[in-house]
Amino acid sequence: MTTEELPPLFNWDEMTPKVSRNNALAGQDILSVDQFDREKLSFIFSRASEMRDMVQRVGSADLLRGYVLACLFYEPSTRTSSSFIAAMERLGGGVIPITQGVQFSSVSKGETLADTVRTLEQYADAIVLRHPEVGSARLAADYASVPVLNAGDGPGEHPTQALLDLFTIREELGRLDGLKVAMVGDLRYGRTVQSLTKLLLHFDVSLRFVSPEILRLPLTTMNQVIAAGVDVREVYDVADVIQNADVLYVTRVQKERFADLTQYEEVKNYCEITPELMEAAKERMVVMHPLPRVGEIHYSIDKDPRAAYFRQAQNGMYIRMALLAAVLGRA
Ligand code: NCD
């Protein structure tokens, strides 16, 4: 049989073409929360709510069928990687998971980030990247022509986490304006703290930053807070702020970012949210944590209805479904 006689593999008339919807994030990278204004936030939140309804009613849909996402993780992850993978799969797409250690990829042979992303974009329609260096996602985006989503660049930013954090606050408390938010723990190296703080500045909030001296919020972020004119105060003891807080956002001391581990030892047990502390808190408030926790929240708090951290993790999947659909031009 000659090639001219080969019957065609595909019947194009029976296939639906890729439909592109022109939302403001279509084709964009997601590198920093600076890209989001109130309008984009409410777009993502309403799409995320639709994603949740869909998952709860039917489990999955075909919105991203035929699309492939590469998940490239140079740092450990449980929630971020699995929720991105689940997000893609619940929308009918596929995943290239490089999440179980880049030691099994050519990175261990010395391949640069630039070459790795330029290779992955030959196979994938978008790339999720977690990397220990600040600015790595931007560098990857400079090389890749497909959307790059920053899943954490060292102590820099974690925009998709901040979006799910903000979405969780709105879901739990029904609003974002008029809230008192206390952030507790490692405000210096915690990338989720930098990103969430910046997003909260779009709203009428008051902020309390609770940390030991060496883990105070970096000046660059603090200057943005001050420039935004919000009511802000730094305190050492969570007991001083818990009674007024609507949101208590607790974070882990980021051991992996310390150059001097004796300093880590000094602050690692800096704070634990206990049932006794919670007695002073409002009846309607939420305790959040990006997780993993390593002792900051006592396990007995988990059954307290105000403990929102596992619902927060679930919301991560809906937010990432919304983001993936948006950047791929399908939302
Ligand atoms: C956070 C991270 O990786 O920055 N985890 C997450 O993505 N949910 C927080 C942390 O590791 O402490």
Side-chain angles (χ1 to χ4, degrees), residues 60 63 72 75 122 127 144 154 156 209-210 231 235 240 247 257 275 287 290 313:
S60 66
L63 196 66
L72 180 60
E75 283 190 334
Q122 309 304 318
I127 299 171
F209 293 106
V210 189
D231 167 27
V235 294
D240 293 338
V247 177
R257 312 272 179 239
V287 182

Side-chain angles (χ1 to χ4, degrees), residues 135-166:
S136 51
R138 193 167 298 276
L139 179 111
D142 286 344
Y143 285 97
S145 56
V146 300
V148 171
L149 296 97
N150 180 4
D153 60 330
E157 278 224 36
H158 196 345
T160 69
Q161 176 74 40
L163 291 168
L164 77 90
D165 291 341
L166 201 65

Side-chain angles (χ1 to χ4, degrees), residues 30 32-38 40-42 44-45 157-167 169 176-177 181 183 191-205 207 221 224-225 228 230 319:
I30 305 292
S32 160
V33 289
D34 296 343
Q35 293 166 251
F36 289 86
D37 53 18
R38 277 180 86 132
K40 288 204 187 80
L41 290 172
S42 75
I44 286 298
F45 293 170
E157 278 224 36
H158 196 345
T160 69
Q161 176 74 40
L163 291 168
L164 77 90
D165 291 341
L166 201 65
F167 181 68
I169 298 172
L176 288 163
D177 284 306
V181 180
M183 304 223 194
R191 54 196 172 198
T192 73
V193 172
Q194 316 310 318
S195 292
L196 180 58
T197 299
K198 289 198 267 177
L199 272 193
L200 283 167
L201 299 181
H202 291 290
F203 301 89
D204 170 27
V205 292
L207 297 174
T221 310
Q224 287 179 265
V225 172
V230 306
I319 284 289

